[in-house]
Amino acid sequence: MLLDALQARELFKLALKRRFAVLAVNVDSPAALTDCLEAARRTQAPIILQTSLWQLNSHSFGAGDALTGMARFIAQLAVLATSERYGNVPVLYHTDHIKGPQTLKILGAAIRGLPVKLEGSEVRLRASTLSLDSSELSEAQNIATVKRLCQIAAESGLELTLEMEAGVDEGPTPLEVAERLLLGVEREYPGKVYLWAPGVGTRHGLGDQSAFSSDAVAQHQALASRLTGRPIGIALHGSSGLSPASLQAAVRAGVCKVNWSSESLLLRSRAAQEYYATHVAELQPGHPRWKAAAMDDGLQRYIAERYVPVVMERIRLLGGSGMAPLLLEHLGVSA
């Protein structure tokens, strides 16, 4: 089940109330999309699938056109999310790390919907939740961009659920900076930000994560909730390389969304490397299994066998296992 903006809010509220976090995987291929849904199905967990600008532009989705990439991603996700196999998996599509001169064009389309014509009818494909990469923006630019997204939604008569971020890689975000950023949006457009992504000592990539502070998570979660007057969960960026104990401490402190990208990519690429290294003979013309070995299905099944169990374990680590039926019941959807 592909969640809309209002249903996504309920997921975040439930995660905070029950103290679990939803795994948010950056997906760079249709096969990875399927594998993540499969892991969520087996653990009966909600999951977030997200794309950054480079994934929207990638060969697998947009072939250089981010809007085509987003439409193609949402369309594939929507088909799977309404299938018999994955219909009971609550999944949301989130825009992650969108930056540069096309930011408003891309995110505006994600709000209004990307038109796709099918047999003479037009459907509009929309993101569930949105964020943008503020790493190269000043505070004023960050606030102005988020407010513009709120304005686009208001003008279109559509709901909007946002994740707002500060300089994630710059160490713990000062609380006074958080207050300026959050109130800069909340005063004019209340009730749109439901996730706050401050710096809490983590870094994107596979580097040293020893500066992580669960105390910073707790302080920001309490501040964001107090400033807005509603429960605001923390989105943890840079989770690759964090120890299981640190991840669980983060969830206890108020993290309800955990981004996962670098480690995920490494797992899939290493599995592919292993596949080609161990199937050399079968990939030779004349071998009775060469065609089966050469087809993408052979490679992707091999990767899935190694990748899906790791995704399942991460879901369990964050406490998300078994939470899908609870959310569907809360949303009034029969499983």
Side-chain angles (χ1 to χ4, degrees):
M1 176 184 176
L2 183 57
L3 305 184
D4 62 25
L6 292 180
Q7 291 167 330
R9 295 179 190 178
E10 296 305 312
L11 170 57
F12 300 143
K13 290 177 186 176
L14 181 67
L16 268 179
K17 181 179 179 180
R18 298 297 293 259
R19 284 305 190 212
F20 71 92
V22 187
L23 182 63
V25 187
N26 280 72
V27 177
D28 69 337
S29 70
L33 188 158
T34 303
D35 290 350
C36 290
L37 285 176
E38 182 62 23
R41 184 189 72 85
R42 294 185 193 178
T43 53
Q44 293 191 295
I47 194 165
I48 298 168
L49 301 182
Q50 54 189 33
T51 52
S52 297
L53 180 58
W54 52 88
Q55 288 152 335
L56 295 177
N57 282 324
S58 73
H59 184 73
S60 287
F61 295 112
D65 181 0
L67 294 183
T68 297
M70 186 178 293
R72 187 175 173 186
F73 188 98
I74 300 173
Q76 292 188 47
L77 178 55
V79 169
L80 285 170
T82 55
S83 68
E84 184 177 353
R85 186 175 185 86
Y86 300 118
N88 290 331
V89 176
V91 56
L92 63 83
Y93 168 62
H94 179 80
T95 64
D96 180 52
H97 288 298
I98 308 298
K99 64 179 181 179
Q102 286 191 304
T103 296
L104 285 174
K105 179 181 178 181
I106 294 168
L107 295 182
I111 294 169
R112 298 185 186 98
L114 297 113
V116 176
K117 291 185 178 180
L118 299 170
E119 298 181 351
S121 300
E122 183 179 279
V123 296
R124 285 191 170 265
L125 305 172
R126 295 185 175 90
S128 309
T129 53
L130 275 70
S131 69
L132 58 99
D133 187 334
S134 68
S135 61
E136 298 173 5
L137 302 179
S138 67
E139 288 183 27
Q141 289 170 327
N142 191 0
I143 293 168
T145 305
V146 173
K147 285 168 62 174
R148 177 56 186 145
L149 296 177
C150 295
Q151 184 181 23
I152 290 170
E155 292 170 349
S156 305
L158 297 166
E159 291 293 341
L160 179 63
T161 297
L162 284 165
E163 172 187 323
M164 189 176 188
E165 71 169 58
V168 171
D169 288 336
E170 299 169 5
T173 300
L175 295 179
E176 59 269 22
V177 172
E179 184 167 352
R180 288 196 297 268
L181 289 172
L182 288 166
L183 289 182
V185 174
E186 189 69 16
R187 284 181 177 133
E188 193 167 343
Y189 292 98
K192 303 302 180 186
V193 175
Y194 274 82
L195 288 170
W196 169 234
V200 291
T202 55
R203 297 186 65 83
H204 290 99
L206 294 166
D208 180 22
Q209 300 283 29
S210 60
F212 167 72
S213 169
S214 59
D215 288 340
V217 172
Q219 290 169 3
H220 276 278
Q221 197 276 317
L223 176 70
S225 299
R226 179 176 62 79
L227 292 174
T228 61
R230 60 183 177 277
I232 300 290
I234 299 299
L236 181 66
H237 290 219
S239 77
S240 293
L242 269 183
S243 69
S246 291
L247 284 168
Q248 291 179 326
V251 175
R252 288 194 299 270
V255 163
C256 69
K257 172 178 180 274
V258 174
N259 288 12
W260 193 51
S261 178
S262 297
E263 203 166 45
S264 171
L265 291 171
L266 186 63
L267 285 166
R268 296 187 69 82
S269 60
R270 282 184 171 171
Q273 183 181 38
E274 182 181 288
Y275 176 82
Y276 287 117
T278 56
H279 288 69
V280 174
E282 293 176 44
L283 287 165
Q284 299 306 311
H287 191 284
R289 284 187 47 78
W290 83 266
K291 187 171 285 189
M295 285 182 179
D296 186 63
D297 186 60
L299 169 65
Q300 297 303 340
R301 285 182 181 275
Y302 187 91
I303 294 172
E305 288 171 0
R306 287 146 185 81
Y307 179 75
V308 171
V310 179
V311 181
M312 292 172 63
E313 179 55 34
R314 201 165 185 88
I315 288 171
R316 294 188 185 105
L317 181 70
L318 300 176
S321 183
M323 292 298 172
L326 192 63
L327 176 65
L328 293 177
E329 181 182 359
H330 177 71
L331 295 175
V333 178
S334 58

